[in-house]
Amino acid sequence: MDHLLKLLDLSKEEILDILNLADQLKYELKHDIRHQHLKGKTLGMIFEKSSTRTRVSFEVGMCQLGGSALFLSSNDLQIGRGEPVEDTARVLSRYLDGIMIRTFAQQEVEDLASYGSIPVINGLTDFCHPCQVLADLMTVREHKGRLEGINMCYLGDGNNMANSLIVGGLKMGMNVSVATPKEYQPDPTVLEFAQKTGNFKLTQDIYEAAKGADVVFTDVWASMGQEGEAGIRRKAFAGYQINHKLLEVCAKNVMVQHCLPAHRGEEITAQVFEEHAGEIFDEAENRLHAQKAVMVTLMTKR
């Protein structure tokens, strides 16, 4: 494992190694045991999409590991003024020990890794969100004690979260069911992987998808950059909501997960959100621990 570009690139064993290290780092932090695994190393954080959790968790994570992080918005870089990504990759590789990028096109992340000589971490693209889903898998395992055989359900937009949850869940032996409107299905390459890999169901019926689910995931109906489509999407996703009626068909002790930010009253009711807030904010916290594990895994090799 040289980069974290997408979960499709990782084996089950590589994902498991990250999750185990994340658990260890979380335990050590809770017991005030500090190891400066990345002392003297610097992570460059390129943001072409803004973020709360991604920026704070990576910056704090690097600090806890003894390193430092540089916030680089597209306004701060020549990449925002048309410098080819391959040139940016080669220049930053001379200065930094790793790059985290949060952007639109998956190809930009792939190109950074191809032309640079340091680890590249995908902090989010329109195609996938591997860091979030590593934290999600970590959280499910904390609460359920295992991943193998767990029934995972995702409701809503077949977006980057859906793509990564499908891949991550199936690679870890989960049974994955997804409900999306026909026009908003996950990426075809992900669906092809899913049909070949494991127990996977794609439907437009949220109750069929959620039946017997041990954990239910959702995301906002209009992601960053799709604000102009918000009205159209509200109509398309009407009914794709986590509410008490839906939870009645799930397993008795069903978990609810949301990558945040949440739009209460749309993809999830305010009451369900608050009833499962402990699990949801465990999930948010675990971004820190999972990403620290990724950075240690990638950046201690150099």
Side-chain angles (χ1 to χ4, degrees):
M1 179 178 167
D2 298 315
H3 307 281
L4 177 59
L5 309 181
K6 54 187 181 296
L7 293 183
L8 282 166
D9 297 334
L10 273 56
S11 67
K12 177 179 180 178
E13 291 70 29
E14 287 172 323
I15 295 173
L16 195 57
D17 285 345
I18 292 169
L19 297 182
N20 289 340
L21 179 55
D23 285 345
Q24 177 187 332
L25 293 171
K26 182 174 184 176
Y27 174 87
E28 290 175 351
L29 183 63
K30 298 295 184 184
H31 291 81
D32 202 29
I33 302 168
R34 304 296 179 102
H35 296 295
Q36 298 204 324
H37 298 287
L38 299 181
K39 184 177 181 180
K41 295 187 181 290
T42 305
L43 177 76
M45 306 185 303
I46 301 174
F47 283 88
E48 295 183 352
K49 283 187 175 185
S50 58
S51 170
T52 300
R53 280 153 290 278
T54 299
R55 178 178 179 181
V56 175
S57 55
F58 270 106
E59 198 160 332
V60 170
M62 277 300 292
C63 178
Q64 290 178 355
L65 292 167
S68 58
L70 295 175
F71 173 77
L72 304 168
S73 76
S74 54
N75 295 328
D76 299 320
L77 298 173
Q78 295 296 331
I79 198 172
R81 298 176 61 245
E83 182 174 51
V85 66
E86 53 265 36
D87 292 355
T88 299
R90 287 179 283 198
V91 169
L92 293 181
S93 293
R94 305 291 181 107
Y95 303 146
L96 302 169
D97 299 286
I99 297 171
M100 187 286 299
I101 180 167
R102 184 176 170 94
T103 187
F104 295 89
Q106 178 70 19
Q107 192 59 50
E108 186 170 359
V109 179
E110 304 279 347
D111 288 345
L112 267 179
S114 294
Y115 287 95
S117 56
I118 56 177
V120 173
I121 300 169
N122 181 349
L124 174 141
T125 64
D126 289 344
F127 173 66
C128 64
H129 199 352
C131 288
Q132 177 66 56
V133 171
L134 289 171
D136 295 344
L137 295 172
M138 179 182 178
T139 310
V140 173
R141 193 171 71 162
E142 279 182 345
H143 283 260
K144 296 296 184 182
R146 72 186 201 281
L147 293 172
E148 192 84 31
I150 289 290
N151 297 321
M152 174 205 288
C153 171
Y154 173 86
L155 306 177
D157 189 11
N159 58 11
N160 47 14
M161 276 302 302
N163 291 336
S164 291
L165 281 168
I166 291 167
V167 174
L170 291 176
K171 287 201 172 197
M172 299 311 293
M174 302 172 83
N175 306 311
V176 179
S177 59
V178 173
T180 69
K182 188 175 181 180
E183 299 80 11
Y184 296 93
Q185 291 186 352
D187 189 273
T189 60
V190 170
L191 293 181
E192 182 181 0
F193 165 83
Q195 299 294 351
K196 293 178 179 178
T197 302
N199 294 318
F200 176 72
K201 178 190 294 182
L202 177 65
T203 178
Q204 297 175 55
D205 185 334
I206 62 171
Y207 296 100
E208 181 184 356
K211 186 176 180 180
D214 298 302
V215 56
V216 181
F217 286 84
T218 191
D219 192 8
V220 294
W221 293 341
S223 298
M224 196 176 301
Q226 299 171 336
E227 290 82 1
E229 304 173 26
I232 296 171
R233 284 172 168 269
R234 277 192 206 99
K235 292 179 182 178
F237 292 106
Y240 284 81
Q241 183 186 72
I242 300 181
N243 52 37
H244 283 129
K245 183 180 178 182
L246 179 87
L247 296 184
E248 287 176 1
V249 306
C250 298
K252 184 177 180 181
N253 295 316
V254 63
M255 284 179 69
V256 174
Q257 296 280 264
H258 195 306
C259 60
L260 303 178
H263 293 171
R264 294 163 175 81
E266 291 188 3
E267 73 276 4
I268 188 169
T269 64
Q271 188 173 0
V272 168
F273 184 94
E274 291 304 328
E275 287 171 356
H276 293 269
E279 301 157 10
I280 291 169
F281 289 104
D282 282 348
E283 176 188 14
E285 178 192 338
N286 284 341
R287 286 288 302 278
L288 171 66
H289 310 301
Q291 288 162 190
K292 284 169 68 177
V294 170
M295 290 188 289
V296 169
T297 299
L298 294 177
M299 295 173 67
T300 54
K301 289 183 176 182
R302 299 193 74 232

